[in-house]
């Protein structure tokens, strides 16, 4: 449910930064760079961007083209490039999105955008020859490593959809109510992801009070605010959701989004 909180408490108007035009960096500003595919943007992506943004004053996000992703990862993203650009722009920690960033980070691009440091999770990527994609960045002393978020990935989300179960996001060690064929599919998917742990399901993500505070803007409505309320499951949060929330926010001055619990979604939507 963090998707709603990380995406839409952003200003409705976009600066030159956000529409893809790099702006001159002001004196004293520390500009951070993160790049990636950002397909089916999820909580793990958001946590990466949150950690990266905390390293400086501005966060530039470079996003690879569909062709670049196919070349280096052996398959096209689920979302189109435009959808991935829009999803990243909606994130409240992102200052600017740079479209068509190369998979192997190039120093020329970093100089063009006046980048001070490059951030990446501790699961470093490699090029087609098995070399570190960030070798040049590390050689310049510009690399910053942040913790990867365990328990969620795009591969995991695709697997959940393919299984078509109602319990893939639960923490029970075994779901005996599911037919044997579904249980077997679950085990096969875990093995395919290389994360097999006997008696466990895929989703190991657990919300904590500390993490909620980290994601919260801690804003409260004021007496003169016009409060707008929307609710939904906001599953696989995408640009359509963020566009809807932006339009809803225009109806007032303070937007509250209610997110349905897993059990409610299962009961109402099957």
């Amino acid at each position: 449910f963090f998707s709603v909180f990380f995406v839409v408490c952003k200003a409705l108007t976009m600066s030159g930064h956000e529409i893809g035009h790099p702006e001159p960096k002001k004196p004293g500003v520390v500009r951070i760079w993160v790049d990636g595919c950002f397909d089916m943007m999820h909580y793990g992506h958001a946590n990466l961007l949150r950690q990266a943004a905390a390293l400086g004053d501005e966060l530039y996000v470079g996003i690879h083209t569909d062709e670049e992703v196919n070349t280096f990862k052996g398959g096209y993203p689920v979302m189109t490039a435009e959808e991935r650009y829009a999803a990243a722009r909606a994130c409240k920690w992102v200052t600017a999105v740079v479209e068509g960033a190369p998979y192997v980070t190039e120093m020329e691009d970093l100089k063009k955008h006046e980048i001070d440091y490059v951030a990446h999770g501790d699961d470093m990527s490699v090029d087609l020859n098995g070399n570190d994609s960030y070798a040049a960045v590390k050689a310049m002393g510009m690399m910053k490593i942040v913790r990867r978020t365990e328990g969620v990935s795009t591969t995991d989300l695709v697997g959940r959809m393919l299984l078509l179960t109602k319990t893939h996001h639960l923490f029970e060690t075994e779901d005996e109510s599911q037919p044997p064929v579904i249980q077997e599919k679950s085990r096969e998917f875990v093995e395919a992801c290389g994360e097999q742990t006997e008696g466990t399901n895929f989703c190991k993500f657990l919300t904590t009070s500390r993490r909620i505070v980290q994601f919260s803007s801690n804003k409260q409505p004021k007496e003169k605010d016009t409060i707008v309320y929307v609710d939904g499951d906001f599953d696989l949060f995408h640009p359509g959701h963020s566009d809807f929330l932006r339009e809803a926010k225009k109806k007032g001055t303070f937007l509250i989004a209610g997110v349905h619990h897993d059990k409610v979604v299962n009961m109402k939507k099957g």
Side-chain angles (χ1 to χ4, degrees), residues 1-6 8 229-237 241 245 256-265:
F1 80 96
F2 279 110
S3 297
V4 178
F5 295 98
F6 81 72
V8 211
Y229 177 80
V230 298
D231 61 10
D233 56 50
F234 296 102
D235 193 19
L236 295 172
F237 199 95
H241 290 132
L245 291 171
I256 297 176
V259 184
H260 303 152
H261 191 278
D262 296 336
K263 292 181 179 179
V264 174
V265 177

Side-chain angles (χ1 to χ4, degrees), residues 15-60:
S15 67
H17 282 289
E18 294 174 298
I19 58 178
H21 304 302
E23 295 184 354
K25 188 171 62 173
K26 296 179 181 179
V29 167
V30 175
R31 188 172 286 178
I32 308 298
W33 172 275
V34 169
D35 55 28
C37 174
F38 293 96
D39 193 20
M40 298 174 66
M41 192 165 168
H42 51 68
Y43 166 77
H45 292 134
N47 201 30
L48 165 64
L49 298 177
R50 179 188 68 82
Q51 293 180 83
L55 297 173
D57 304 300
E58 295 179 348
L59 177 61
Y60 272 45

Side-chain angles (χ1 to χ4, degrees), residues 2-153:
F2 279 110
S3 297
V4 178
F5 295 98
F6 81 72
V7 173
V8 211
C9 296
K10 198 169 185 179
L12 297 176
T13 57
M14 292 201 294
S15 67
H17 282 289
E18 294 174 298
I19 58 178
H21 304 302
E23 295 184 354
K25 188 171 62 173
K26 296 179 181 179
V29 167
V30 175
R31 188 172 286 178
I32 308 298
W33 172 275
V34 169
D35 55 28
C37 174
F38 293 96
D39 193 20
M40 298 174 66
M41 192 165 168
H42 51 68
Y43 166 77
H45 292 134
N47 201 30
L48 165 64
L49 298 177
R50 179 188 68 82
Q51 293 180 83
L55 297 173
D57 304 300
E58 295 179 348
L59 177 61
Y60 272 45
V61 179
I63 299 183
H64 314 316
T65 63
D66 297 337
E67 292 72 22
E68 191 87 342
V69 174
N70 182 50
T71 298
F72 284 89
K73 290 195 170 186
Y76 285 97
V78 174
M79 298 174 71
T80 66
E82 292 302 323
E83 289 171 333
R84 293 184 287 114
Y85 300 152
R89 283 196 179 98
C91 180
K92 67 181 181 181
W93 291 297
V94 175
T95 304
V97 167
V98 178
E99 302 178 4
Y103 191 86
V104 179
T105 306
E106 297 178 357
M107 294 305 300
E108 287 302 315
D109 286 325
L110 301 183
K111 292 177 182 178
K112 173 184 176 181
H113 295 290
E114 300 182 272
I115 302 300
D116 295 292
Y117 297 103
V118 176
H120 196 279
D122 48 22
D123 54 334
M124 300 301 294
S125 60
V126 296
D127 63 18
L128 295 177
N129 297 315
N131 300 316
D132 189 339
S133 299
Y134 296 90
V137 177
K138 290 179 178 178
M140 295 298 294
M142 296 172 61
M143 197 77 218
K144 298 286 187 180
I145 304 299
V146 298
R147 291 188 63 182
R148 179 183 181 276
T149 304
E150 298 295 335
V152 62
S153 68

